[in-house]
Amino acid sequence: MILPRAGKGKVAQEEKTSNRYRYRYGESEAEESLVMILGKEALMSKSVHPWLRRIGCAYVPGPLTPLLEETVARLLGRFERLGHQVQAHPNQATDLILTTGRLGMPVNWRESLLFSSRRRFGLSHSPVVYTLVHAYQAEFEGLLTHFANVLAKKVPDRADYNFPGLASHAYSLLHAQGQRGGPMLALERLVQAQVKSIRVVLIVGDDTPNAAYHFDLVGAYPQSKADDLEEFYTDIVLRMVTALSTSEVQAHQVIEEPIPRALWDSLTTPEDMRQASQEFGRRNFFSEIARISDLVHVPALSEVMSSQYSEGCFATWDPVLQALIATVTGSARPVDKGNLSEDDLAVIVGIREDGLGALVRHVAGKRNDPPSSEAVEMIEMDRALPMVTLGPEWGEVAGRQAPVIRSKLHGHRSVDAYNAERVEYVPLDVAYYHYPVSCATEAQAKAIKAAFARSQALQNPADPRQVVFTILPGHGVMLAEKWAPGLRPFQLLWESMDAGHLQLTDRVPQGPMWYLPGADGLMVLHSE
């Protein structure tokens, strides 16, 4: 494992030797790292992000079991060993509140620290709350088996989802989530709803832990293995610190005068976006809108998070406006990504100088909601890639400069296989496979930018491969297409799906992943 050195706000190093791994100092002071020697390929050698910072952590007990008591004690000790501040009580310097819960034991929303921490401890901010939930091995396996069985039904049966602490219509949402993400995602949503917490670490085991699963809003469930308990507790802490060391970039700023309505009406890209939404809708690329009220009744929900979310986003470049036409955020109001209207579109023209959000232009005479949470990611990708000059085949926009990427598509899905002669896969930096980050964060925007910057197909516009993608572990896929004369925006993408050059799957890898040649000549997904 690569750990940053102490100092400059970074976490302290830990040095350990066991039969599985050994830490040693890097070759030079400039590396500011430790190296884990595993004898495996580079992808399987863990490394942490260089931007981790020290945090303040406070523990507020909830329901306990002997295993949870032991886990909390070990985690707090590990926070201290890695250079973080463990506080007796939450205060103004607290970044993270650690609490506990039991599987199947619902928490009243008024008692949930997610909703009550500021009031309860007199804070001027809302620390991130992590809830450790204990599941005995038999409980865990029993629930997964139950969900596997009931998810096999095409039409959900309310009786199959009769769990305490849920709203009356929860069965429909749990079934839809499980249909897309499998039994583990259905279990994840159940646990989150019962303990009234978004960030949950499910500790599975009886007297000692066997594994831990890390849950978040987008439905990730990466695993910390308990083969080596020292490594196990370190891994849990580093995953938490990773989440707290990056920040959201959604402070979008409206600039310039509104785009005149006549100019907007003359553009082809808004209609292209609506057409693409219907094409992807027919292919079931996006899942249904998830309304939190369908899962659990929480009157104060809007105070801490959005009342609904719709996954994914897409955008295409408009050569006339010299801007991205993108989908709006689904957290402001329900947005059906498979059937857009013009009010579901936003115009992105750049990034704020401080990097905290995108620069947006409004359009006169239409509703103007903020762009998707991935707005910064989508436009940041272009900054490390070449521009192209549109040729005479592009008609009225011939001669204009444009990013080499024409259109971008993001969804909570993965690529099971692809044709390497037509499609290029670009991996993320190694740390993101072991310590993933969430959407709408500065770190994810940088990760995507760095991955696509390595694309041979994009750095060389003459490269015959017209589609490029990367996979965000625990999250989903980011797809990009180049400019193809005679085709509408996104047409390369949906035609690649139809032809089998790009084969999608509902299951998103949760950690290290790679592609190897398959028997049919395609590159096939493998994951840890």
Side-chain angles (χ1 to χ4, degrees), residues 66-302:
L67 180 55
L68 279 180
E69 289 189 75
E70 173 69 12
T71 299
V72 168
R74 298 288 292 269
L75 289 178
L76 294 177
R78 195 54 46 96
F79 272 111
E80 289 185 325
R81 287 175 63 181
L82 293 178
H84 304 288
Q85 182 185 26
V86 175
Q87 303 153 338
H89 305 284
N91 57 43
Q92 301 299 347
T94 300
D95 301 294
L96 182 154
I97 293 179
L98 198 64
T99 189
T100 56
R102 273 283 290 118
L103 186 65
M105 185 182 295
V107 174
N108 186 289
W109 70 268
R110 292 180 178 85
E111 299 172 359
S112 164
L113 290 173
L114 179 66
F115 300 97
S116 66
S117 62
R118 291 184 63 172
R119 170 183 50 80
R120 183 172 172 182
F121 300 106
L123 305 178
S124 60
H125 69 297
S126 296
V128 174
V129 176
Y130 269 89
T131 304
L132 303 176
V133 176
H134 179 201
Y136 290 100
Q137 189 68 38
E139 288 181 310
F140 176 70
E141 293 175 358
L143 280 169
L144 287 182
T145 298
H146 171 77
F147 281 124
N149 291 333
V150 302
L151 289 171
K153 301 178 181 180
K154 291 185 178 181
V155 179
D157 185 340
R158 187 191 297 261
D160 291 332
Y161 298 90
N162 187 24
F163 298 102
L166 302 185
S168 60
H169 297 291
Y171 74 98
S172 180
L173 179 55
L174 284 177
H175 192 81
Q177 291 279 290
Q179 288 282 319
R180 171 54 62 91
M184 182 62 82
L185 183 54
L187 173 60
E188 174 175 349
R189 297 313 192 200
L190 170 63
V191 174
Q192 290 171 323
Q194 289 184 327
V195 300
K196 306 299 186 296
S197 183
I198 299 301
R199 294 192 177 274
V200 173
V201 182
L202 185 67
I203 309 294
V204 180
D206 297 331
D207 298 325
T208 59
N210 296 325
Y213 295 88
H214 303 260
F215 299 159
D216 67 6
L217 181 61
V218 299
Y221 48 90
Q223 180 184 176
S224 294
K225 297 179 180 179
D227 301 335
D228 182 303
L229 289 181
E230 290 295 312
E231 169 67 5
F232 174 71
Y233 295 113
T234 297
D235 191 68
I236 293 176
V237 168
L238 287 176
R239 289 179 184 274
M240 293 180 180
V241 172
T242 297
L244 271 75
S245 294
T246 186
S247 56
E248 292 189 350
V249 283
Q250 297 192 78
H252 307 315
Q253 178 181 345
V254 179
I255 65 168
E256 303 178 9
E257 293 295 318
I259 297 167
R261 182 70 205 199
L263 175 57
W264 176 259
D265 288 341
S266 72
L267 302 175
T268 60
T269 44
E271 178 57 33
D272 289 332
M273 288 286 289
R274 290 192 290 270
Q275 173 71 28
S277 77
Q278 295 171 7
E279 294 289 348
F280 294 130
R282 280 192 285 270
R283 292 162 177 81
N284 297 314
F285 185 82
F286 300 110
S287 65
E288 297 178 7
I289 298 169
R291 293 175 174 83
I292 309 302
S293 59
D294 289 340
L295 185 61
V296 62
H297 180 62
V298 180
L301 183 67
S302 60

